[in-house]
Amino acid sequence: MSNEPIKLEAVKIEREGDVTFLILNRPEKRNAMSPQLHSDMCEALDWAEMDDQTRVVVITGAGGNFCAGQDLKLFFRANENDPKAWAVTLRDSHAWRWDKLASFPKATVAMVHGYCFGGAFTPVIACDFAIAADSAIFGLSEVNWGVIPGGLVSWAVTRVMGYRDALYYAVVGEQFTGKEAVAMKFVNKSVPLDQLRDETIAFARKLSAKSPAAVKYTKEAVRVVRDMNKEQAFDYLKVKSDALSLNDPEKGRQKAMKQFLDEKSFKPGLGDFKR
Ligand code: COA
């Protein structure tokens, strides 16, 4: 497979070593999500999943904004009288913003600056981590134009925000900043805008230094047990743990045990084993 990123119309792909940026690229429309953008993001994620060089995927937007939500003209109005096109658009829109991202086998980070509205909340939540600029502006603006936060938005916000905050911002339609998003646990952290890219890359490098199999199995485990009871979780985690030991091509556990117990060359409490 070629090492060159694929070229797409509404999504730009950029590499920073083993960190790959998938950039929503309609800056003149504040990266509002058109049917083409949805289809391109599906392709981009499929490409990044299979790309050997990519260890961490960062989702962001071009031109100083993350995304102004669904494109009201091209996503909604243009599909009003075309049920087939609407079905395809809905499928692609849901596929990348939730299904593909939520089950992505490599670590994912949403890097949010500028505006992030409505349907753009879904990929932020589906990513494993989110880092925002202090100044980012988030808004569940749907209520302001007479609709509900549809797709999976209303469901997704309650996965990360407390019930009171989710209800408040969905019903009132008020904006909140990157700093406020941290206080509500909507994002992991916020930083000054001029440090956003460097901080995101530094964080992504922490992830890419780890055993890829351990990252994949750990994020799957934490994500899935949230919907299980204690007995199911205990059983699932035992099998998951065995599966990691069996399927890790790097044999991380054995290496780490040797380095800690025999060679005394690393301390698991303080950092990663030598891969
Ligand atoms: N759908 C379609 N077009 C959009 C859009 C959207 N969600 N958001 C922005 N655009 C377009 C504007 O129509 C404008 O197009 P034009 O240049 O052809 O007139 C262009 O992007 C720039 O937008 P503009 O409103 O002039 O920029 P701004 O920086 O002053 O304001 C926003 C940016 C995001 C605050 C404002 O565009 C807005 O409120 N957008 C809708 C956000 C929203 O409610 N999204 C939820 C949808 S699920």
Side-chain angles (χ1 to χ4, degrees):
M1 182 192 273
S2 159
N3 208 26
E4 275 298 298
I6 51 173
K7 299 259 184 274
L8 299 162
E9 197 178 314
V11 172
K12 195 165 47 168
I13 304 180
E14 280 177 13
R15 286 193 193 282
E16 281 275 351
D18 52 16
V19 180
T20 298
F21 284 74
L22 305 185
I23 305 168
L24 311 184
N25 193 25
R26 302 183 68 228
E28 70 292 348
K29 301 289 181 192
R30 310 297 181 260
N31 305 317
M33 295 177 284
S34 61
Q36 182 69 50
L37 185 143
H38 288 307
S39 154
D40 285 358
M41 274 306 287
C42 288
E43 239 185 282
L45 281 167
D46 289 348
W47 173 84
E49 180 175 347
M50 294 301 150
D51 175 52
D52 291 335
Q53 193 179 321
T54 300
R55 282 273 165 84
V56 179
V57 162
V58 177
I59 310 281
T60 193
N65 292 294
F66 185 74
C67 171
Q70 298 289 13
D71 189 304
L72 303 183
K73 192 168 163 192
L74 300 177
F75 182 84
F76 290 113
R77 186 177 280 171
N79 282 322
E80 264 168 13
N81 299 311
D82 191 343
K84 283 192 182 163
W86 180 232
V88 170
T89 299
L90 277 186
R91 182 199 62 198
D92 289 349
S93 161
H94 179 70
W96 83 265
R97 287 182 309 142
W98 194 267
D99 287 345
K100 286 179 190 289
L101 265 180
S103 61
F104 202 71
K106 304 172 184 180
T108 53
V109 185
M111 183 179 97
V112 184
H113 51 179
Y115 293 123
C116 175
F117 284 115
F121 274 45
T122 305
V124 174
I125 296 165
C127 280
D128 303 319
F129 308 99
I131 303 181
D134 294 335
S135 57
I137 302 286
F138 294 88
L140 289 171
S141 53
E142 288 88 339
V143 72
N144 296 342
W145 51 284
V147 300
I148 63 166
L152 272 187
V153 178
S154 291
W155 174 83
V157 287
T158 61
R159 306 291 285 178
V160 286
M161 290 163 100
Y163 172 70
R164 288 269 178 229
D165 287 327
L167 201 56
Y168 181 93
Y169 287 100
V171 175
V172 180
E174 194 174 294
Q175 300 82 51
F176 54 94
T177 64
K179 273 193 176 169
E180 289 166 326
V182 182
M184 285 185 272
K185 313 275 185 221
F186 186 75
V187 301
N188 294 94
K189 66 173 175 176
S190 76
V191 298
L193 179 61
D194 61 358
Q195 293 164 28
L196 181 64
R197 191 178 164 96
D198 288 349
E199 288 271 347
T200 303
I201 291 171
F203 175 66
R205 297 246 186 277
K206 273 191 201 175
L207 297 169
S208 68
K210 298 191 181 298
S211 150
V215 168
K216 174 179 183 296
Y217 277 70
T218 304
K219 64 183 224 158
E220 285 169 0
V222 173
R223 193 178 285 275
V224 170
V225 292
R226 288 197 296 170
D227 296 320
M228 292 182 182
N229 65 32
K230 177 168 55 68
E231 286 72 25
Q232 290 165 334
F234 190 61
D235 202 36
Y236 167 85
L237 290 170
K238 183 187 177 306
V239 175
K240 194 78 181 164
S241 185
D242 291 347
L244 170 57
S245 293
L246 280 174
N247 294 321
D248 179 3
E250 295 192 348
K251 301 283 171 224
R253 186 168 195 263
Q254 290 87 329
K255 262 189 217 163
M257 290 283 235
K258 188 160 174 265
Q259 288 173 21
F260 180 59
L261 296 175
D262 306 328
E263 300 167 1
K264 300 202 177 294
S265 61
F266 108 112
K267 296 192 187 291
L270 302 180
D272 299 310
F273 70 92
K274 289 165 208 68
R275 291 179 46 223

